[in-house]
Amino acid sequence: MKASKSLERGILSSYDHQKPSIRLGYYLMNLIVLVMMCVMVYPLLISLFNGLKVNKEVNSFPPTFLPRDGWHFDNYKRAWEYIDLPKYLKNTLFIFGGNMLIIVIVIGFAAFALSKMKFPFRRGIYYYFLLTLFVPATTYAIPNFVNLKELGLMGWYGAIWLPAGANAFYLLLLKTFMDGIHNETFESARIDGASEIRTFFQIAFPLSIPIFATLAIFVFATAWNDWFWPNFMLGQDYKPLSAAIKTLVLDARMLDLNMKFAILTIVMFPPIMIFLFFQKYILRGLYLGGVKG
């Protein structure tokens, strides 16, 4: 018997695709997705190709999409040597590592306490944390600045690490995930005499690795892309890559435009590649953090 071709089963069956109206809607949705993809990819390609042009061609009008006066790959070599990219990359990784450590210890303990420990006003405290999600970040920027200045953390990594422990969104994800871990596991550990700290590190944390891995990707993306607060709080020797790009590249008046595009392309693609490699872990972590088991 000859096997018949059929589409992969989704919300629409092969029978549904035989209806002209449904088929038209299906093609229309695919067209919309294709247009959205082109709109998102176009700026990346413009930055990549402009970094391969001579400066005169970048400033020409009408603009060209592909280089016409040759492909100047040496622009990227000069872009790498223009600023100390390894130094600012190291600063970015220091910020990421400190933020992740603070999140594991502070937010991890807070999520564990709100999920598995019983104490007065637990639900009210949880809602208080969630309430901060509705407060615009601009309203507490000045109070944060004053607090960090009085603590003597300005100009150093501590000005970035300390506020990382007050992220209500991460707290929500971690608590929701830990709510899905059976309480019997922790009760057995308490019966055996394990302290709450030991219970967290030996049971809660290992079982929460998927959601912590997802948060690590989010924290890395924030450390890589955020420039306003680090540029405002850190000294030049401690600034991450994004803040250095803002100061030394985007604000530089004497730097050729093709060199700016080359530097921006170098900085732009690593987080994209990381997301492409780890996207399944991001989606899985969000699913596990948003659905109670």
Side-chain angles (χ1 to χ4, degrees), residues 26-290:
Y26 173 78
Y27 290 138
L28 180 61
M29 286 187 291
N30 279 273
L31 178 61
I32 293 175
V33 171
L34 180 62
V35 171
M36 291 176 60
M37 184 185 69
C38 293
V39 170
M40 294 178 181
V41 171
Y42 181 76
L44 304 179
L45 296 179
I46 283 293
S47 179
L48 174 65
F49 292 139
N50 281 345
L52 295 170
K53 300 175 182 178
V54 295
N55 190 56
K56 181 179 179 181
E57 186 178 358
V58 176
N59 291 282
S60 64
F61 187 84
T64 59
F65 184 68
L66 295 174
R68 292 182 178 179
D69 296 336
W71 297 67
H72 298 270
F73 292 97
D74 59 311
N75 288 349
Y76 284 92
K77 181 180 178 181
R78 292 164 52 204
W80 180 269
E81 297 172 350
Y82 176 75
I83 62 175
D84 193 355
L85 289 177
K87 169 188 173 181
Y88 296 111
L89 176 61
K90 181 192 70 174
N91 293 344
T92 303
L93 295 179
F94 264 84
I95 292 174
F96 162 70
N99 286 352
M100 200 63 213
L101 182 63
I102 291 294
I103 288 172
V104 170
I105 295 177
V106 177
I107 299 183
F109 275 133
F112 176 72
L114 291 172
S115 177
K116 300 303 178 184
M117 298 176 63
K118 294 183 179 180
F119 51 89
F121 309 109
R122 181 180 65 170
R123 185 174 295 272
I125 294 174
Y126 175 65
Y127 287 135
Y128 170 77
F129 284 126
L130 294 187
L131 183 64
T132 61
L133 291 173
F134 299 92
V135 179
T138 53
T139 59
Y140 53 79
I142 296 179
N144 273 348
F145 170 79
V146 174
N147 289 336
L148 294 171
K149 182 179 179 181
E150 292 180 351
L151 291 173
L153 296 177
M154 283 193 62
W156 184 65
Y157 296 123
I160 308 297
W161 290 342
L162 186 61
N167 193 308
F169 176 68
Y170 295 164
L171 177 65
L172 171 64
L173 286 181
L174 285 174
K175 180 190 177 299
T176 306
F177 183 89
M178 291 183 181
D179 286 343
I181 303 176
H182 297 294
N183 293 330
E184 291 80 3
T185 306
F186 302 98
E187 292 174 357
S188 300
R190 294 188 182 102
I191 292 175
D192 292 338
S195 63
E196 298 299 336
I197 296 178
R198 184 177 179 182
T199 302
F200 172 78
F201 281 111
Q202 292 190 351
I203 299 178
F205 180 74
L207 293 177
S208 303
I209 288 296
I211 192 65
F212 275 112
T214 302
L215 291 184
I217 298 174
F218 289 158
V219 173
F220 176 79
T222 302
W224 189 277
N225 296 323
D226 187 24
W227 66 269
F228 175 76
W229 189 251
N231 192 54
F232 188 59
M233 298 299 297
L234 300 180
Q236 187 63 38
D237 292 335
Y238 296 96
K239 287 184 178 180
L241 193 56
S242 56
I245 292 297
K246 173 64 171 62
T247 304
L248 303 176
V249 178
L250 298 182
D251 293 343
R253 298 183 179 181
M254 302 302 294
L255 183 62
D256 291 339
L257 196 57
N258 61 339
M259 293 298 299
K260 289 185 178 182
F261 277 111
I263 297 173
L264 294 177
T265 304
I266 293 175
V267 176
M268 188 187 309
F269 276 91
I272 296 176
M273 300 305 298
I274 289 176
F275 174 80
L276 292 178
F277 279 114
F278 295 101
Q279 58 178 322
K280 62 179 180 180
Y281 300 105
I282 298 176
L283 299 177
R284 180 171 178 265
L286 289 178
Y287 172 77
L288 293 174

